[in-house]
Amino acid sequence: LRIARHAGADVFVSLHADALAEGHASGAAVYTLSEEATDAASAMLAERHDRADLLAGVDFSEIEDTVALMLMEMARTETKPRSERLADALVEGLFLATGSTYKTPRMMAAFSVLKAPDIPSVLVELGFLSSQVDRDRLIDPDWRARAAVGLREALLGWAVEDAERAQRLRR
C-alpha cells in the first residue's frame, strides 16, 4: 500500500492464490474490508496476512491516536462504498470471463492490504492451491488469460462508473 500511495494509485487490487490447511474451498472470491471476517476461513487468512494496522504514508506523529483513527474512518466513508462497488464489478467480471467463482464470491475480512483509508482496495483470491480444480485452472494459460481480461474489463468499467459518480457528487 505504501508503494501504491507513493505512485498516486487510484485503486489497489491485491491478487492471491492461497491454500487452506483444513476444509475445502474452490473458486475465486473478492474481499473488502471488515473488522469482522465473514467466515472462519476469512478469519484464518486475515490472521496470517494482517500484521498491523496501516498508518503508512500518513504522518500521525503529532496527532492523538483517537483523532488519527477518526480521520481514517472519515476517509473510509468515501472509499468503502467505492471498494464495495469495485469488488462487485470484479466478481461479475471474473464470473463472466471464467465461470469459476466461490459459492459466496463476495467476502469481507480485516486484511492489512484493505486498510488504506484513502484508496479503494480489494483482495482478489483467484483460487486455492489446496484445490486440485483450482490448481489446474491457475496453471492453465487460457484460464489465466480469461481471468486477466475479466479483471481488466471489470476494473475499466468500474473506473468509468466511479468517475461519473464523482462528477455527480461534485455538482
Side-chain angles (χ1 to χ4, degrees), residues 49-126:
H49 292 286
D50 186 17
R51 302 292 182 240
D53 285 345
L54 178 70
L55 295 174
V58 181
D59 183 9
F60 288 124
S61 60
E62 303 290 321
I63 301 174
E64 290 183 33
D65 288 349
T66 54
V67 174
L69 292 171
M70 188 184 319
L71 290 171
M72 289 173 62
E73 283 306 310
M74 288 173 66
R76 283 192 185 108
T77 61
E78 179 190 347
T79 56
K80 183 175 170 63
R82 293 175 68 208
S83 295
E84 297 291 334
R85 288 189 298 272
L86 173 59
D88 291 341
L90 292 174
V91 165
E92 183 177 356
L94 277 170
F95 183 77
L96 292 174
T98 68
S100 56
T101 56
Y102 186 60
K103 62 184 176 186
T104 51
R106 278 288 284 110
M107 307 282 269
M108 298 176 85
F111 297 126
S112 59
V113 295
L114 300 175
K115 291 187 177 184
D118 53 341
I119 303 172
S121 304
V122 296
L123 183 145
V124 177
E125 191 73 62
L126 287 171

